[in-house]
Amino acid sequence: MPQHPVRAALYLRISLDREMDGLAIDRQRADCRQIAAARGWNIVNEYVDQSRSATDKTKRRPGYDALVKDFDNGQFDAIICWDLDRLTRQPRQLEDWIDAAEERGLRLVTANGEADLTTDGGRLFARVKAAVARSEVERKTARQSAAQAQRAAQGRVPKGMRPVGYTVSGDLVPHEAEAVRSIFIAFNRGSSLRSIARALSGEVGEDIPAIVNAIPRHTRTVTLERNARRADENKKLAKEQHRRPRPVPQDAPWPPSTVLGILRNARYAGYSTYTPRGGQQEGGKRRASRASILRAETGEPVRGQWTAIVDEGTWSSVQERLDSTERISNRVGTERRHLGSGLYLCGVCGQRVRSHSGSYRCVGHVMRRRERIDLFVTTAIEARLAREDLADLLPRQNAPRLQQIKATIGTHHAKIARAQRDYDDEVIEGFDLKRVRGHEEAAISALEAERLRLTARSTATAVLGAGDPVAAFDLADLGAKRGVIEALCQVRLHPHKRGVKDFKPETVSIIWN
């Protein structure tokens, strides 16, 4: 009885295809097809992972996942790949293929010869090769991590894709730096991530901060820059050495997540940052921005060798607002589109009112028409802003105390560093290290909060510092207006008597801060 030809699948992968022109994949495909032709095998499918690493087991490889699924479904009998480490660099995955060879007769062929997983020698060869490949990756990773840590400790510009506002060498890109600065200002004034993203995308509206100018998506800008550099390089190279331009993405709207990444980046405040590869920040993402700041043995943050775009107080103020439990609890739901929603308080229970069908409502207590309330509040705010003593409404900075706080924070960080060294030298136990760290970090948090109160610029600062504060308030976006109200007063809404249609000013309490 004639045997059916072996059904073969090709698996083609390259870890990083900088050109994204597919030439490296084409070379692998040609070699693998030659193997299939020489053996008389039928190629039933091919699976490609272009610019996909097999080193990190947490990263998905769509082509590889499809390969595994189709083999489980019996769609092929053999796998052809250019080299064993193209298929996997994970010992656990290799063992799965060894099981498949032993239990189902899978054939695995590479361009440098057949890896017979059904024999002891073949399995030994595969395991040794996988172990060697894994070891090379780990050594390379360790060298790269050490180099990155050294650069960060020296305050040098990190390698990699440039952030918005800076060149690869760390110089300022003026119009981008101004956009980054306006993002911090707008957020500090009360604008939401989504409204800032819409402003960057060129949208306009009452709830969109006018201070933020539209700029192209950063991925598009960087791709255009790279293509321009390649065009210049091609002028100096022979035609056969020319590098193809990369596809340029469309100028799509900015996502709020990108705005959040900018606001969290401590480099904009001039800090040198470093996060160990694979390291997880204690306390989750909310603490990751501060935890990424590299500190010297004294506990003082390492300053980067580049010009900061925002000052330390502004950056800290933004982190406090991002970390606010109130903001986190309200981040799921609609964006604030009304002046008092989530800002005004119920005069009965003290909870924040919500917007509901043209009104502000606290269920069971208050239901008030939104338009009349907002007009009353804005009129009172404008009268307050017209006062001659406006400059005295917010606390002034206390420079001597700020210096004292800075020194005390450094002392606490030094204690943590000393405890860590004692733990590394086995002088103290892990419990002692945890106790010291908890005590010192609690003290640091309290000092940071005090420093924030003294240095952070209030959301009302831009309006209060304007030549005509009333006009500045009228022209401000919704988020800034809400920030001004929050900085100046507390608004409480009291129940209105049933049947009374006229607005009664005494039903709205404005308590000035």
Side-chain angles (χ1 to χ4, degrees), residues 88-134:
T88 182
R89 288 179 179 268
Q90 301 297 326
R92 178 60 263 173
Q93 291 178 349
L94 175 62
E95 293 299 326
D96 290 338
W97 292 118
I98 289 176
D99 291 344
E102 291 180 322
E103 298 170 6
R104 298 177 54 183
L106 170 72
R107 303 184 189 185
L108 177 61
V109 179
T110 64
N112 60 356
E114 185 167 4
D116 189 353
L117 302 182
T118 62
T119 67
D120 292 341
R123 291 193 293 271
L124 176 62
F125 167 77
R127 286 172 173 138
V128 169
K129 187 172 180 61
V132 170
R134 184 69 182 176

